[in-house]
Amino acid sequence: MRVDLARSLRRIRPERFAGSLLRRDDADLHFVDGASLIGAPLLLDSCVYIDGLEGSLPPRVESLLRARSLMHLSVVLGELSHSFGRLDPRHPRTREHLDELAGMIGDIPRHRLDDGVSAGVLLEAGIISGLVFRLGGFQPGQEVAALNHATIYLHALERGYTVLTRNIRDFDFMGQIVPAGRVLFYRTA
């Protein structure tokens, strides 16, 4: 996606959004239960990794992870690696948690790591995350998370991936603003 602010503003038209975004009914969203095992590569949101480490992924998600090509985004690695600086090294479980996380990150095949987020995606992610923040009732301090999620959503759209996430609210809001993206939602087991 090329960097052209005027074009992006014409395409998204942020001025047409007023009021607030409301999460749509589950029936209007795509959940893993109805998803085919054959389809576009899955771009994993950070919650998929965390739920995998905790053993709380539903069986259908596990099946999708085995059947489809998986893509991993550098932005998500940044979210995951945040724990290495945030967790208190004096806490008795920190080392164990970080070792598991390091192992998981180390197991990501390098040919499946997508670090080519375009400047155009980031430009539009800024606009969309601002809309989601303003219209979605986000609290101060959630701006970075909104920007990361918009980047994941738009990168998947640009590359033809489907986002896999349990973050229903944020990705539903983005889908209302830019409906062309594909997202599969799940709830933990």
Side-chain angles (χ1 to χ4, degrees):
M1 186 181 297
R2 66 181 189 206
V3 176
D4 184 340
L5 179 60
R7 179 180 172 272
S8 293
L9 290 171
R10 280 192 309 275
R11 195 166 78 78
I12 298 170
R13 296 191 343 243
E15 68 281 355
R16 71 185 161 109
F17 294 96
S20 59
L21 290 170
L22 300 174
R23 192 172 92 57
R24 293 177 286 186
D25 189 76
D26 283 0
D28 298 324
L29 303 173
H30 299 284
F31 281 84
V32 295
D33 298 331
S36 172
L37 294 178
I38 300 168
L42 297 174
L43 182 61
L44 307 182
D45 188 14
S46 56
C47 59
V48 178
Y49 301 90
I50 294 165
D51 294 342
L53 285 175
E54 293 176 349
S56 59
L57 288 172
R60 185 60 179 178
V61 171
E62 296 274 2
S63 296
L64 281 167
L65 293 175
R66 284 190 300 274
R68 295 228 195 152
S69 295
L70 306 179
M71 299 306 295
H72 311 272
L73 188 58
S74 55
V75 170
V76 173
L77 292 182
E79 288 181 333
L80 293 171
S81 65
H82 176 78
S83 293
F84 288 92
R86 183 180 58 81
L87 294 180
D88 183 353
R90 296 169 295 191
H91 189 278
R93 296 221 40 230
T94 293
R95 179 55 26 213
E96 174 189 351
H97 176 78
L98 294 180
D99 286 347
E100 287 178 6
L101 191 56
M104 183 195 59
I105 291 171
D107 287 343
I108 294 172
R110 293 299 165 235
H111 71 283
R112 294 288 181 191
L113 179 58
D114 195 338
D115 61 357
V117 177
S118 72
V121 162
L122 288 171
L123 178 90
E124 289 195 3
I127 297 166
I128 291 170
S129 65
L131 283 167
V132 167
F133 187 84
R134 175 171 54 93
L135 303 171
F138 283 48
Q139 300 302 310
Q142 294 178 307
E143 295 91 346
V144 173
L147 179 61
N148 286 349
H149 295 148
T151 301
I152 294 164
Y153 182 82
L154 291 175
H155 184 75
L157 175 60
E158 180 180 65
R159 297 291 174 97
Y161 304 150
T162 298
V163 176
L164 178 64
T165 185
R166 73 171 148 74
N167 185 341
I168 298 169
R169 181 188 72 156
D170 294 8
F171 284 90
D172 174 35
F173 288 172
M174 285 179 271
Q176 291 178 50
I177 295 168
V178 178
R182 292 185 305 227
V183 181
L184 280 176
F185 296 105
Y186 70 93
R187 290 191 172 87
T188 53

